Amino acid sequence: MAAGLRSMGLLAPGAHARGMPLSGGVSSDIWHVVLPDGRHVCIKRALAKLKVAADWRAPIVRSRYEARWLARAHDAAPHSVPALLGQDEATGTLAMAWLPPEQHPIWKNRLHDGEADAAFAGEVGRGIARIHAYAAARPELAADFPTDSLFHDIRLEPYLIATARAHPDLAPALVGLAARTAATKLTLVHGDVSPKNILVGPDGPIFIDAECAWWGDPAFDLAFCLNHLLLKCLWTPPAAPDFLHCFEVLATAYLACVTWEAPATVEARAASLLPGLFLARVDGKSPVEYLTREEDKDRVRRVARALLSSPPDRLRTVRTAWGEEINA
């Protein structure tokens, strides 16, 4: 990391910085670093083997595309991402502005505490759509994100394809969703829009950790984020009705900002993809850490399997099915 800082021009030869490793995330080493001139920065170094139980590996070149995503997202919505300070491909590191956690709490932690702010959820939906719309209007950006194989390795295979192996009877549906997603090339996709990667900033949501950046299907980002609002209903049950309201507000806000295709078209793709991602967080390579009771996992399986067998074309259908299952 010190070599990366020197290569980026943030640390003079022979100078030393002090830092502290940060927790969270499975795919990178992340540090809060204080430079000799007193500046605070956040440094990330991509890992070749992710910190999960399964043997899950990914090329560290993904840091190049995360840096490119940050630059393009900053052009689209400057207050929605941390400022990119530099990127060094030789060491697989990138540097961003440090965002103090006391002023930028993680949305996941807020949700765990039962704080379901529907207005903030709406801002998340609008923020994602703003970046999608900006890039969709600039198709030349696609050349900067030749990451089809990377996205397959760190998203489609560990989520949909791995889940197909766990549910052979659903394999045609799950593999079909992966193939359709891979073939839909419309805009710049973050790939990991999860509450753990969204900060509650003073001016609204801030999106981080775009290691899965890809030129592809915007429905993936929408479904990926909504998936977590469904799962959080089992993590913090008293807030489940509020989480489902956030689901509706986020989806409505996002769809109201869709400009690159008919809103109903992207909604249909998101709605049919969502049950696959839902099931993947129980039986794929990256199960959510907070679902430990088998009865909770079975509830996810029951709803997801039914929806995969009869694919919905509206997000409300998914929300209603889950609400009925958990009596919310």
Side-chain angles (χ1 to χ4, degrees), residues 98-187:
W98 170 249
L99 302 177
E102 61 273 12
Q103 299 169 21
H104 303 82
I106 300 170
W107 193 29
K108 179 179 179 178
N109 296 341
R110 289 282 182 91
L111 293 173
H112 182 235
D113 293 339
E115 296 183 34
D117 185 343
F120 183 80
E123 287 301 313
V124 170
R126 279 184 285 274
I128 301 167
R130 190 175 297 118
I131 296 168
H132 287 170
Y134 173 88
R138 295 163 177 80
E140 67 276 8
L141 296 178
D144 291 336
F145 296 91
T147 57
D148 286 3
S149 62
L150 180 60
F151 193 79
H152 178 273
D153 289 347
I154 61 181
R155 278 296 170 263
L156 299 180
E157 197 286 328
Y159 284 82
L160 299 174
I161 307 302
T163 304
R165 292 194 290 269
H167 295 267
D169 60 316
L170 293 175
L174 290 163
V175 173
L177 287 171
R180 186 194 70 192
T181 302
T184 305
K185 314 288 284 181
L186 294 173
T187 191

Side-chain angles (χ1 to χ4, degrees), residues 44-110:
K44 284 187 66 177
R45 184 178 68 87
L47 298 174
K49 184 182 185 303
L50 280 62
K51 295 178 280 189
V52 296
D55 185 17
W56 186 359
R57 299 173 185 271
I60 63 171
V61 71
R62 63 189 185 273
S63 66
R64 172 196 303 168
Y65 303 111
E66 179 173 12
R68 291 180 182 178
W69 184 92
L70 283 168
R72 299 290 76 78
H74 185 270
D75 292 340
H79 298 295
S80 295
V81 295
L84 176 67
L85 303 179
Q87 190 254 338
D88 178 53
E89 294 194 13
T91 57
T93 57
L94 60 84
M96 299 166 286
W98 170 249
L99 302 177
E102 61 273 12
Q103 299 169 21
H104 303 82
I106 300 170
W107 193 29
K108 179 179 179 178
N109 296 341
R110 289 282 182 91

Side-chain angles (χ1 to χ4, degrees), residues 183-245:
T184 305
K185 314 288 284 181
L186 294 173
T187 191
L188 180 56
V189 173
H190 179 286
D192 197 6
V193 184
S194 160
K196 72 179 176 62
N197 292 332
I198 300 173
L199 307 181
V200 183
D203 299 314
I206 298 173
F207 302 97
I208 60 173
D209 288 351
E211 294 185 21
C212 308
W214 170 61
W215 189 270
D217 188 358
F220 188 91
D221 277 348
L222 178 59
F224 200 88
C225 191
L226 292 173
N227 188 34
H228 284 275
L229 291 174
L230 300 180
L231 293 163
K232 298 297 183 288
C233 292
L234 296 177
W235 198 26
T236 310
D242 296 326
F243 291 161
L244 294 181
H245 180 54

Side-chain angles (χ1 to χ4, degrees), residues 276-297:
L277 297 177
F278 196 39
L279 187 59
R281 298 320 297 262
V282 170
D283 292 324
K285 283 187 178 180
S286 182
V288 289
E289 80 285 356
Y290 50 82
L291 291 189
T292 57
R293 300 194 312 162
E294 202 60 33
E295 53 263 44
D296 285 340
K297 296 178 183 179

